[in-house]
Amino acid sequence: MLERLNPAARALVALIGGQICLHAGMAGLRLAGPLFALQAGYGAGWVGVLLALFAAAPIVTALQAGRLADRHGYHRPLNVAVALVLAGGAVAVASTFAVPLGAHAPFALLCVAATLSGAGANAGLIAIQRSAGRSAADDGGGPGDATALKRVFSWLGLAPSLANVLGALLAGALIDLAGYRAAFAVLAVLPLGALAWARRVPVEPAAGLAARRALPRTPLLRSALELARTPGLRRLLLVNWLLSASWDVHAFLVPILGHDRGLSASAIGAILAAFALAVAGVRLVIPWVAHRMREAQVLSAAMLWVALVFALYPLTLGAWSMAACAVALGLALGVVQPMIMSTLHQLTPAERHGEAIALRSVTINLSSTLMPLGFGLVGAALGSAALFWMMAAAVGAGAWPARALAARLDARRAGAQ
């Protein structure tokens, strides 16, 4: 069936398939690891440390992964990513044999597994997103074509949702049927499917890769700071951070608010599922209307919409009203990722797209690592309603920097013509 598609579409399908395999291995480990730790007698605080490592590892490794993708294209970084996630799964398997070694041996190995798996999945994501942006140039629009970029990243945005579902279902079923050791073993080999999909991704021209490898090796931090001075990029990263924090605060507060409202666990799960379905649904629609969407205006409108939903959330009284807010929020947040990725690729030089994606990744993972702690402190002091309203004010204020991106994008497009 893939042979019926044009080369750019086949490459995109292969990138999506590769990300699903790679991300599902990490997502399954992110569920199974904490459950194994809880069974071993570790409390919620230790589980929080374990979960934080999945996001903390990419903060340290993302910039190197971005440079690797810029200099070597798709296949070598993907091989490294698969090796890291597979190694993480293997270490998790080893943790099931380490119980006789002492109370802390299994948990220490799980921490190593989380670090390896988180770093690998993020390195693969950077390589995949960079290659997806390049495939947009082969989809009829040429380099920097905004409509093609929005379409490509809308389709690619479905992969993490599908991978999260696959990884969680597979991990849960295997744990119940065969135990943690078998679950870790299957999750460890799942990323190998990404290597099979990679055979359908074209190799980049050797001349272009050789030219990028010949560029001076500026220290990573200095290179990132220089890239951050690209006109419009810091504004985009601020918008991205506010929207990423909106995902985190929603995932953090909905269970708390639902518990306060006396909702069952299944009702709270259904509310979060409604949010995820709304995200996926809007990304399915975007490719058909991408030519009518201007990135800056969509981002600005989405941020105002998110602010309104956050302002209303604490006023909800039951499951149905919370679900309605979740759907409204999912529609807004689902549309922004393709807009951000399209803008990122238009603002930054083509030879540094991997590094730019890595810089975005650092801000997202830093937020995911530190913000839950801040949410907990503010929520404990002021209550969940105050935290919703504070985020509403912050995201609403971010609509103005988002709208200001329009002038920068117009200038870049004019310069490219």
Side-chain angles (χ1 to χ4, degrees):
M1 183 178 293
L2 285 181
E3 280 67 24
R4 298 179 183 177
L5 302 175
N6 64 52
R10 285 201 300 270
L12 179 59
V13 171
L15 291 171
I16 292 171
Q19 187 178 352
I20 290 173
C21 293
L22 189 67
H23 192 94
M26 183 275 294
L29 184 59
R30 194 170 54 194
L31 171 68
L35 291 177
F36 183 57
L38 290 170
Q39 186 187 66
Y42 288 90
W46 290 106
V47 170
V49 171
L50 182 61
L51 287 172
L53 288 173
F54 284 96
I59 297 172
V60 180
T61 60
L63 292 175
Q64 183 61 52
R67 176 171 289 184
L68 185 68
D70 281 333
R71 289 177 177 267
H72 297 283
Y74 174 71
H75 294 82
R76 184 183 293 188
L78 184 74
N79 292 341
V80 172
V82 169
L84 286 171
V85 179
L86 193 154
V91 173
V93 172
S95 72
T96 64
F97 293 98
V99 176
L101 300 179
H104 297 298
F107 185 79
L109 288 174
L110 286 175
C111 288
V112 174
T115 302
L116 291 171
S117 186
N122 188 70
L125 176 63
I126 291 169
I128 289 166
Q129 289 181 333
R130 177 189 170 277
S131 296
R134 292 181 62 84
S135 76
D138 301 327
D139 197 22
D145 181 81
T147 299
L149 286 167
K150 285 176 283 192
R151 285 175 176 156
V152 163
F153 284 109
S154 295
W155 291 120
L156 192 66
L158 295 172
S161 299
L162 296 174
N164 285 330
V165 172
L166 174 61
L169 290 177
L170 190 60
L174 287 170
I175 290 169
D176 290 338
L177 292 173
Y180 286 97
R181 188 173 299 161
F184 289 144
V186 173
L187 293 169
V189 300
L190 192 60
L192 293 176
L195 299 181
W197 281 109
R199 297 171 62 185
R200 294 181 174 271
V201 179
V203 177
E204 289 186 33
L209 293 176
R212 287 195 288 275
R213 285 196 290 269
L215 293 174
R217 281 187 171 272
T218 308
L220 284 172
L221 184 56
R222 192 203 314 171
S223 179
L225 292 175
E226 291 174 356
L227 184 62
R229 287 196 286 270
T230 302
L233 184 57
R234 282 176 292 184
R235 186 177 289 119
L236 179 65
L237 292 175
L238 172 63
V239 169
N240 185 81
W241 172 73
L242 287 169
L243 292 168
S244 176
S246 298
W247 286 76
D248 293 333
V249 77
H250 185 254
F252 179 84
L253 284 180
V254 164
I256 296 173
L257 191 64
H259 181 268
D260 292 343
R261 300 289 188 268
L263 302 183
S264 65
S266 60
I268 294 172
I271 292 168
L272 292 174
F275 170 81
L277 288 173
V279 170
V282 75
R283 287 180 180 171
L284 284 172
V285 173
I286 289 174
W288 313 111
V289 296
H291 61 287
R292 299 180 179 274
M293 305 174 78
R294 291 177 60 83
E295 294 91 342
Q297 284 79 359
V298 171
L299 287 172
S300 179
M303 296 184 83
L304 292 173
W305 185 253
V306 169
L308 176 62
V309 174
F310 275 160
L312 294 176
Y313 234 123
L315 306 179
T316 57
L317 299 177
W320 286 106
S321 54
M322 288 182 66
C325 283
V327 169
L329 189 67
L331 294 174
L333 291 179
V335 79
V336 300
Q337 193 255 13
M339 303 301 127
I340 286 175
M341 293 303 298
S342 172
T343 305
L344 184 76
H345 277 73
Q346 293 176 74
L347 289 178
T348 55
E351 67 275 10
R352 301 186 71 182
H353 279 165
E355 195 174 350
I357 294 169
L359 193 58
R360 172 181 177 264
S361 173
V362 169
T363 63
I364 291 175
N365 285 289
L366 190 62
S367 174
S368 296
T369 302
L370 299 179
M371 292 301 286
L373 177 61
F375 296 155
L377 294 174
V378 174
L382 303 176
S384 59
L387 187 51
F388 268 121
W389 290 328
M390 288 173 61
M391 278 302 301
V395 176
W400 278 265
R403 193 166 187 82
L405 287 168
R408 183 57 56 190
L409 285 173
D410 289 341
R412 290 285 296 184
R413 289 165 183 159
Q417 291 176 353

